[in-house]
Amino acid sequence: MAGGEDRNVKALKDVWKRPENALCADCGKPDPDWASYTLGVFICLSCSGIHRNIPSISKVKSLRMDHWEVAQVQFLAQHGNGLGKATYEAHIPIYCYQPTYADCQVLREQWIRSKYERKDFTEPGRYVLYSDGLKEGILWKRGRDNGQFLPRKFILSEKDGCLKYFIKQDAKEPKINIKIDVINATFQPAKVGNPNGLQITYLKDNKTRNIFVYHENGKIKSRLTRNFLKEGYMEKTGPKQKEAFKKRWFTLDHRRLMYFKDPLDAFAKGEVFVGSGENGYSVKPGLPAGMQGSFSWPHGLTIVTPDRDYLFTCETEREQQDWIAAFRRVIELPMTPQEYAIEAYFKVRS
C-alpha cells in the first residue's frame, strides 16, 4: 500500500513539474499549487477560489496538502495546461483582454467563467461581445465636478462603431458620442471605490478625457483593450526646472504619460509623449546635478526627449525603479506611423 501511495505522489509531482504547468492556467501567476481534477488544469490559490464558485464545472484540490486519488492524477497527466489552453482558449478574439494575476477579482472571475462555464472561446465566432451589434444598459457615472455617481444610459453600437451616453433615459440626443477606436477601458475597483468600477479613457480633440463608471451587478462586458502600463503618484517640476515640484497622479498609457491633480479628474492637466530610443528618447535615474527646484521625494528620474528633459521624483526607490522599467518598455519599441503623427501633434502643441 505504501509503495503504491509513494508512486502516486511521485506521479503527481512529475505532472506538476512539466514546463506547461509552471504558470497558472488562468492568470499566469508562477508556481501554481492547486489544480482542477475535473478540468485538468493547474491554477494558483486565488484562481482556485473562483473555481470553487462553479462546482458544477470545476472541482479543485491543493497539490501540497490534499490527498489525490490515482484516477485523479492520471486525469491530470492526460490533460494539463497546454491541452487546457488549446481547448478553452482556442479562439479568443483579438479585442478580448486576457487578465493576469495583477488584475482585480471581478475581471479574473469573468474571464474564468467565460472560459469554462460558457465555453466562449472553444469555437470560432462563439464569443459575442454584444448581441445584434448593440449593447444598452445603465451604468453609474461619476460627475465631473461634484464627484457624485448618478445612473446614466449607455449604448455601445457595433454598427456605428461608437459609445454613447445619455443624461436622461428618454433623451433623444447623447451627451457624448465616442468612436470605439479611440477608447481604452480598464477595470479600476480601487480608484472608483466599487468592485465593478471601470475607467473609460478616450481622446477628445487629441486630449485625454476620463469617465468613471460602475455597474451594480458586475456583469460588465466591455471592449477592454489594454491595461495602463503604470499609475501612481510622482512629483514634477515645470519646463524651467526651477519651479517647486508638485505632487501629481500619473498614468502611462503606452506612449502617453498623463498627469492629474487627482486620480479621478476628468481631464489631464498635461501630457508627455514618450517616443522610441532610436528617435532620441530615453529615461535615466536621478536628476541633473545642481538641481535648484525644491522637492520632498528623494528618488529622481529624468525622461529625455529631443525637445526637453522632464524631471520627476518618487517617494520610494521601488517606485522609481518600477517607473523606469515601465518607460523603458515603451522606449524600446519602434514607433508606428500613427505614433509619428501623434508625436508631431505634441511638438506643434508645445
Side-chain angles (χ1 to χ4, degrees):
M1 178 68 72
E5 182 70 19
D6 290 343
R7 286 193 296 272
N8 194 46
V9 171
K10 183 180 183 303
L12 177 61
K13 290 182 177 179
D14 289 343
V15 179
W16 187 5
K17 289 180 180 178
R18 290 178 185 170
E20 64 173 304
N21 301 323
L23 303 177
C24 173
D26 296 325
C27 73
K29 189 172 185 177
D31 303 318
D33 53 3
W34 288 72
S36 168
Y37 59 88
T38 54
L39 295 172
V41 294
F42 291 74
I43 54 179
C44 68
L45 174 62
S46 181
C47 288
S48 74
I50 299 173
H51 279 249
R52 284 198 195 91
N53 293 332
I54 47 174
S56 60
I57 305 295
S58 181
K59 297 185 184 298
V60 299
K61 281 186 175 182
S62 168
L63 294 164
R64 300 183 188 277
M65 299 179 291
D66 292 329
H67 171 76
W68 285 79
E69 302 290 343
V70 173
Q72 294 170 346
V73 174
Q74 291 175 344
F75 184 81
L76 283 182
Q78 294 165 1
H79 291 78
N81 289 1
L83 182 59
K85 287 184 176 292
T87 302
Y88 297 105
E89 300 181 15
H91 302 282
I92 301 175
I94 191 171
Y95 56 75
C96 186
Y97 177 70
Q98 301 176 49
T100 71
Y101 57 87
D103 287 302
C104 65
Q105 175 87 1
V106 172
L107 187 53
R108 287 187 290 110
E109 180 164 357
Q110 290 192 6
W111 168 247
I112 289 170
R113 288 185 178 275
S114 189
K115 280 174 59 175
Y116 304 117
E117 191 174 45
R118 297 191 297 272
K119 298 182 180 178
D120 284 336
F121 314 120
T122 56
E123 300 173 9
R126 183 181 178 93
Y127 179 72
V128 180
L129 184 61
Y130 34 89
S131 59
D132 302 324
L134 194 70
K135 175 66 177 176
E136 180 177 333
I138 300 297
L139 296 177
W140 289 76
K141 176 187 172 293
R142 185 181 189 272
R144 186 179 70 186
D145 299 320
N146 60 16
Q148 183 180 4
F149 282 89
L150 295 173
R152 297 288 184 256
K153 182 175 76 171
F154 280 75
I155 295 178
L156 184 61
S157 172
E158 182 180 29
K159 178 181 177 182
D160 299 331
C162 65
L163 173 69
K164 308 173 185 178
Y165 90 78
F166 302 79
I167 294 179
K168 296 182 179 180
Q169 293 195 36
D170 58 354
K172 294 182 179 180
E173 295 297 326
K175 174 69 173 178
I176 61 168
N177 189 337
I178 319 166
K179 290 296 182 182
I180 291 176
D181 57 5
V182 300
I183 292 177
N184 184 34
T186 58
F187 275 91
Q188 293 281 8
K191 190 183 290 187
V192 175
N194 185 284
N196 306 311
L198 192 70
Q199 178 176 345
I200 301 171
T201 302
Y202 66 96
L203 295 178
K204 182 178 182 181
D205 300 326
N206 215 31
K207 295 182 179 179
T208 301
R209 166 82 157 93
N210 291 325
I211 297 177
F212 297 94
V213 299
Y214 69 84
H215 195 281
E216 286 186 322
N217 61 16
K219 293 181 179 179
I220 300 174
K221 276 191 176 180
S222 177
R223 179 175 177 159
L224 298 172
T225 52
R226 61 184 180 273
N227 272 351
F228 297 134
L229 293 179
K230 183 164 175 58
E231 286 192 290
Y233 282 107
M234 289 193 291
E235 293 181 326
K236 68 171 289 293
T237 187
K240 295 180 180 180
Q241 300 182 0
K242 296 181 179 180
E243 303 92 333
F245 280 67
K246 295 181 179 179
K247 181 180 176 182
R248 294 289 183 256
W249 178 266
F250 285 83
T251 296
L252 181 59
D253 187 5
H254 196 48
R255 296 203 185 274
R256 285 178 179 263
L257 176 66
M258 302 162 281
Y259 59 91
F260 307 82
K261 189 173 183 179
D262 184 270
L264 293 174
D265 283 348
F267 292 97
K269 290 185 69 67
E271 300 184 42
V272 177
F273 181 82
V274 183
S276 66
E278 61 188 14
N279 293 94
Y281 293 83
S282 64
V283 61
K284 56 186 179 182
L287 301 175
M291 182 67 216
Q292 297 179 13
S294 61
F295 50 88
S296 57
W297 288 348
H299 304 283
L301 65 91
T302 302
I303 295 179
V304 179
T305 79
D307 300 315
R308 59 168 282 199
D309 293 353
Y310 294 86
L311 311 182
F312 308 95
T313 60
C314 302
E315 187 175 16
T316 67
E317 185 178 3
R318 176 61 184 271
E319 275 293 293
Q320 176 205 44
Q321 293 173 350
D322 288 349
W323 275 111
I324 290 174
F327 288 129
R328 283 177 176 164
R329 285 198 296 272
V330 175
I331 290 170
E332 289 170 357
L333 297 173
M335 286 167 55
T336 66
Q338 183 182 11
E339 289 168 349
Y340 277 106
I342 296 173
E343 180 190 41
Y345 173 83
F346 268 80
K347 289 182 177 181
V348 170
R349 192 173 67 178
S350 62

